[in-house]
Amino acid sequence: MHKFPSTLSLLLCALCFLFGCNPSLDTTSNLTEAQQRELQHAIAGLKASADLEVSLFAGEPMLFNPTNMDIDDRGRVWVIEAQNYRNFFNPINPIREEGDRILILEDTDQDGKADKQTVFYQGRDIDAALGIAVIDDKVIVSCSPNVWVFTDADGDDVPEQKKAMFTGIQGVQDDHGIHAFVFGPDGRLYFNHGNAGKSIKGPAGEDLYDKASGQILDVEQSNFQQGMIYRTELEGREVEVLAHNFRNNYEVCLDSYGGLWQSDNDDDGHRGVRINYVLEYGNYGYKDELTGAGWFSYRTGMSDKGYEMHWHQNDPGVVPNLLPTGAGSPTGITFYEGELLAENVQHAPLHTDAGPRVLRAYPFEVKGAGYEAEMEPLLESVHDKWFRPADVCVAPDGSVFIADWYDPGVGGNHMGDFQQGRIYRLAPENHPYQVTKPDYNSPLGAVKALSSPNLATRAKAWLKLAEMGPAAENALAQQWHKGPSHQRARALWLLARLPERGDTYIQEALADQDPNLRITALRVARQLGQKHLAYLAQMADDKDPQVRREVAIALRFEEGTQADQIWARCAERLASNDRWYLEALGIGADQFPDARFTAWLALNEGNWDTAKGRKIVWRIRAKAAIDLLGELIKGKPAPEDNAAYFRAFDFHQDSSKNEVLLALLEHQIAEDPENKFRIISHMDGEAVQNNPLSRVALNEVIENLKGSDRYFDLVARLNLTGQADNLLGIALDPASGNQSARAARLLAKLGQINLLAAKINTASPSELRPVFTSLGHINSIEALDILQDYALDSTHPLGLRKKAISSLASGWNGETRMVELLEADALPYQLGELGATQLLSVWRAQYRTIASKYLKMDEAADEIAPIHELIKLEGNPSDGKVVYSKYCASCHQAEGQGIAFGPSLNEIGNKLSQDALYASIIKPSVGISFGYEAYLLELTEGTIYQGYIASRTDEAIELMMMGGVPQSVPKEKIKSLEAQEQSLMTAGLHKLMGQEDLVHLVAYLSGLKGEAL
C-alpha cells in the first residue's frame, strides 16, 4: 500500500497543478498498482462521459479521506476528513490525536485547482463525521451522537461558537448513523440517518417528539422503523418524520418543488441497492411493517425476485422503489438543476456509489403518480479500485465536484488507507472554474442568487429574501411570472409567505398549467396552514395524478367528514395499475381508515368490486374491508392476487378476520391445500386451537407441509407440542440436512428434549450418532449434560463416546464445556485429544490457545507474506473456487454455491480491491459488514447462542447461527444480549489454508462480478 507520497511524486503533482498537465498524456500500463495510485496518475484511472472532462481540484497532502463536502457561494469546497474513522476499533491505523478536520479548499487564481487550504475546525468531537452543510454563517456537521452547529458570524473562517442542535443519536462512527443536512426550497432543513441512528434527542439530551404524530423519536419506543428522514426548522425545532424503514439511506436531496430523492443500501451482496422518490410519511419496506422481521422471513405473497423480496415490495403499505441499481455502497446525492451538463441530466439526481466506483445521473420520466428512471454514468473508475466516490456537490458555475475517500475498501467499519484523498471537478471540456460574487443586498440581486445551481448560494439568497419580506415581492414576482418552471417554484416558496399576499400566489399556482407548480402550491399551503382543506377540495379532481397524489398525502392527519369526502374523490380517480397512487391513498387513509373507506363506498353506492376497488380493498386497513377480502378470495382470483389478498389479512388487527377466515374453510376454495394452509396461517393462534373445524384443517396442513420451512414456522407460531414425534423423526434423519438442526432446536423449544434423551437407552449404535448430532445442534445446558454423561461412561463403546464428545464440542456452550473438561483433566486423552482438536478452529482465540497447550503444540509460525507482497502473486481462480468450497461455502454464497449466512460474495470482485480482500480474510474483525456483527444471547436457563441478529420483533429476537440456521428466542426467555467486537468469521483462517490457497482464493473472489446473476 502506497501511504506517503514520495518527494518526486509531490514535485510532479505540483508541476501538474502549476502547468495544467493533460491527464490524457499519462501512461500507466508500465506502472505497478501502487504507482498507479499516486496522485499524478489519478485522472488516468478515471473515465468521464463523452461530453465532460474530469480534472483534479485537490488531493493529498492537502486533504485526506473526505467523507462529505459542501460548496459555498464563493466556490470554496468545505470538506470533512475522516482519518480517525473507526481507529478506536482498528489498531492498524494511527489516531490523529488532534482530531479530524473541517477544511476549506479554495481556488484563489481561478485555474480550477485548489491552492489554499484553511482549517476551519479540528477536534475529536468530529471524528469520522458523515455530513457537512454550509448555510450562510452556519456550518452544520453530522457526527453521531451529535449534530453540531458552528457559527462564523464575521466570516473570518474561524467559528466563534459551536453548539449542539441534536444529541442522543446512536451509530457512533458508523456509516449507518446520522448523515448530512440539506437546505430545502421551503427554508427548512432535511436530513436522515441509517438504521444505526435509532433515536434523536434535543441539545440537552431531552426527548423529542414527531410534530405530526406525537410519537417519540426513538425506534425502540415508537412505530417508526430503521432508517428515517426528517424535516426541521432551521433552529432544530418542530422535527417531523417524513419517511422510515430504510436500511442505510445515506443522504437526502430535494428538487425545487420540494420533492425528496435518496438512495438506500441493501444487506450486503444481495443486489438490492435502490433509488427512492420519497412520498412523505411512507414506509419503505426494509423490515416487516408488522413484526420487524427480516426480509428473508417467510410471508404469504412474498416475491421470488430477490430485489422485490428485500424491500417487501409485495406488501400493502410499502411505497414502490424508483430504480434498482444492483450491488453497491451508495453514498452522496444531490439534485442537479444547473445548465452546464447535458440537457437530459439537467433536472435529475446525481449520485455517488463507492462500491462500483461511479458517479451516476438518474434521468426520470413521469409515470402515473410516480416516476421511472434510468442510470447514466457520468464518471467511473477505469482500473483504479481505490476510487471511492463519497459525495457529490454542484458548484456556483454548474460544474460538479466529487469527493473521493480513496481506499481499498468501502467503509463497513474499516479503512485501509489514511494518507490519501481527492476532490475532482467534472465540467464540459475547457470550461474554466470562475465564480462571480453574488449580490444579496438588493432584491433583484438576491433573486438572481436564488437562481443559482449551487445550494449554498440559494440558501443564503432565500434567507435574505425572507428577511426583506414585502420589499422583495416585485423581484420575486418577476421570477414567478417569467422564469423556467423550477425557478418559478423557488420564488413561489417565498411569495406564499408574504402577509396578506401569499394566498394570491398560491391560487395562481393552483391554476397553473404546470402540474409541478400545482404540487408546490399544495405543499407550501400545507406547511403554512393556509386554507389547507379548501385547497385540497379544490384540487381533488385535478386532471394530473401526481397532483392528486399530493392531495391524498396531505390528508394524512386531517380528520372529519370533509377530509373523508376529499379522499374518496381522490380514490375514485385511481388507475388500478398505479401503485404510487395507491400507496399515496393508503398514506392519506391510515390514520382514519374506517371513515375514509365508508366515504368511498358511499360515493360508489357500494359498487366496490372493480379493478380499482379490489386494489383499494387490498390496501385499506378498514374493518369493513375484511369481509370484502374474503369475498375476493372466494371469487378464485389469479394465484398472485390470491396470495396478495391473504397477505392483506395480516394488516388487520380486528378479531373479526378470524370469523371470515373460518368461513373460508367451509367454502370450496379450501379444497386447495395451499388455500387451506393460508387460511390457517393467517388466523390468530388461539382462534385456530379453539375451533374444531380449524383444528381438523390444521392437522391436514401439517401433514402436507411436514419438513418444509413453512412447517417449522407454523409449528413454532402455534406452539404445536403434538408435533414432537414428527420433529424427532426429522432431527434424526441424516438426509434432512439443515432441517435436522432446525427440528432439533424446535424440539427443545417445545420442551421435548427428553425424547432425545430417551432414545439413548433404546437406539442401536448406528441410530445413536444422529441423536448425538441433534443434541449438539441444541447445545443447551441440558443437552450438554446428556452428551457429557454418555461420554464419561466407560461402559459405552469408545467410538460412540467420541461421537458424543465431537457433538459436545460444537457451538458456543459446548466449546465452553469442553474447555472446562480439558482444564479439569476430566477426559481420557483419546477423548480430550478429539475435543481439543475441534477447538483449534473455533472463534474464540483463547480457546484455541488452550487447545494448543493441551495438545502440546508449538504456536505455528506465521508463514503468510504481508499483503503488499501477496498482491504481487498470481493465483488460479479455478483452484480458488475449490478453496472457497472448502473454507468459505459454509458461511457465504457465490455463484449459487454455499450457505447464506454471511454477506453474499457474488459481486465482491466489483466492490473490493485485492488489498481489501486479503485484509478482510486475514483480519476479519477489522471491517465487519453492518448487520453481521456478532452477538451472544444468553437464555435465563443458561444456554448461550452465538450469531447475528436477523430480525427483532416485539415478541422475539431471531439469531442467525452458523450454517444459516435461524434461532428464534422469545424475549421473556432472554437473560442478556451482548454485542461482540470480534467478527463471526474465524480469525486465522488464512493460516489454516496456507499462503498458496489464500492467493488462489483471492484470485477467485476478484473475478466475482455478478455477471452470472
Side-chain angles (χ1 to χ4, degrees), residues 365-625:
E365 293 182 355
V366 170
K367 185 178 181 181
Y371 305 91
E372 58 184 6
E374 58 186 18
M375 294 188 286
E376 181 167 328
L378 299 181
L379 181 67
E380 51 193 327
S381 171
V382 177
H383 58 72
D384 189 352
K385 289 191 175 183
W386 287 31
F387 174 58
R388 300 297 181 186
D391 198 16
V392 55
C393 289
V394 182
D397 71 337
S399 60
V400 173
F401 281 68
I402 303 97
D404 179 7
W405 192 50
Y406 207 76
D407 199 84
V410 192
N413 303 331
H414 171 61
M415 178 171 67
D417 175 272
F418 53 92
Q419 286 291 342
Q420 291 175 288
R422 289 93 189 259
I423 304 291
Y424 298 101
R425 178 175 179 259
L426 198 61
E429 190 173 356
N430 298 321
H431 184 86
Y433 188 43
Q434 296 178 349
V435 178
T436 303
K437 183 178 180 181
D439 169 23
Y440 300 106
N441 296 319
S442 69
L444 285 174
V447 169
K448 182 178 179 181
L450 189 67
S451 302
S452 173
N454 171 252
L455 187 55
T457 306
R458 297 205 302 269
K460 193 168 184 178
W462 195 99
L463 294 170
K464 293 292 185 182
L465 289 164
E467 183 182 333
M468 293 176 189
E473 181 177 0
N474 289 338
L476 284 167
Q478 290 182 40
Q479 183 81 301
W480 164 242
H481 290 122
K482 297 181 180 179
S485 176
H486 65 288
Q487 305 287 15
R488 296 180 66 201
R490 294 178 193 172
L492 179 61
W493 287 104
L494 285 154
L495 289 167
R497 300 167 63 92
L498 294 175
E500 301 180 2
R501 295 280 296 152
D503 182 62
T504 299
Y505 291 104
I506 292 175
Q507 286 287 6
E508 285 185 19
L510 291 175
D512 199 275
Q513 291 299 305
D514 187 341
N516 284 315
L517 294 175
R518 302 201 295 277
I519 289 170
T520 306
L522 287 172
R523 287 172 174 163
V524 68
R526 173 156 59 102
Q527 288 193 16
L528 297 176
Q530 294 177 217
K531 299 182 180 178
H532 181 41
L533 278 178
Y535 291 142
L536 297 182
Q538 177 182 337
M539 306 305 290
D541 298 309
D542 191 277
K543 62 182 180 181
D544 192 285
Q546 299 223 332
V547 176
R548 300 196 304 273
R549 175 198 74 202
E550 291 302 312
V551 173
I553 290 171
L555 289 166
R556 181 170 177 82
F557 298 106
E558 299 293 336
E559 187 175 11
T561 301
Q562 184 182 8
D564 297 335
Q565 291 173 348
I566 295 170
W567 184 89
R569 288 163 57 194
C570 290
E572 186 60 16
R573 300 290 297 273
L574 169 69
S576 61
N577 62 346
D578 192 339
R579 179 69 182 276
W580 295 84
Y581 195 104
L582 180 64
E583 288 305 328
L585 289 173
I587 290 168
D590 281 344
Q591 303 296 310
F592 316 103
D594 294 320
R596 300 285 201 255
F597 194 52
T598 298
W600 179 72
L601 288 174
L603 186 64
N604 280 275
E605 298 180 347
N607 182 25
W608 63 272
D609 195 2
T610 61
K612 65 185 173 188
R614 290 188 285 274
K615 294 293 185 181
I616 291 172
V617 168
W618 174 73
R619 175 59 180 86
I620 197 79
R621 307 288 169 83
K623 181 179 178 181

Side-chain angles (χ1 to χ4, degrees), residues 81-245:
E81 289 185 316
Q83 275 197 308
N84 282 345
Y85 174 74
R86 299 292 287 180
N87 54 17
F88 64 89
F89 186 64
N90 182 359
I92 297 174
N93 293 344
I95 294 176
R96 181 160 59 178
E97 296 296 343
E98 302 86 359
D100 278 330
R101 302 184 297 181
I102 302 172
L103 301 179
I104 308 172
L105 306 179
E106 188 172 359
D107 172 19
T108 61
D109 56 7
Q110 295 193 334
D111 66 347
K113 301 170 181 64
D115 48 53
K116 179 181 178 182
Q117 178 216 65
T118 302
V119 178
F120 180 76
Y121 181 82
Q122 183 170 18
R124 297 303 305 273
D125 51 352
I126 62 165
D127 277 357
L130 292 180
I132 183 170
V134 180
I135 302 172
D136 198 10
D137 62 354
K138 302 289 191 294
V139 179
I140 303 175
V141 175
S142 305
C143 188
S144 294
N146 304 306
V147 174
W148 299 110
V149 180
F150 296 86
T151 301
D152 178 19
D154 58 7
D156 63 351
D157 297 332
V158 177
E160 298 89 39
Q161 183 186 68
K162 183 196 79 171
K163 65 178 183 179
M165 178 184 288
F166 297 115
T167 63
I169 306 161
Q170 298 184 45
V172 175
Q173 285 221 17
D174 196 306
D175 307 345
H176 296 232
I178 188 72
H179 297 132
F181 281 59
V182 63
F183 187 89
D186 56 352
R188 290 168 168 82
L189 296 175
Y190 292 75
F191 63 102
N192 58 19
H193 64 63
N195 59 344
K198 296 186 178 179
S199 64
I200 290 186
K201 296 183 181 295
E206 68 273 23
D207 288 335
L208 297 179
Y209 296 85
D210 176 37
K211 174 185 175 183
S213 68
Q215 294 187 71
I216 191 171
L217 297 182
D218 187 325
V219 297
E220 301 292 339
Q221 304 178 58
S222 68
N223 293 329
F224 301 125
Q225 292 192 60
Q226 305 298 312
M228 296 161 71
I229 308 175
Y230 302 88
R231 174 168 56 212
T232 184
E233 299 290 343
L234 288 178
E235 304 82 6
R237 296 179 292 105
E238 297 188 341
V239 184
E240 304 172 70
V241 176
L242 295 183
H244 73 125
N245 210 1

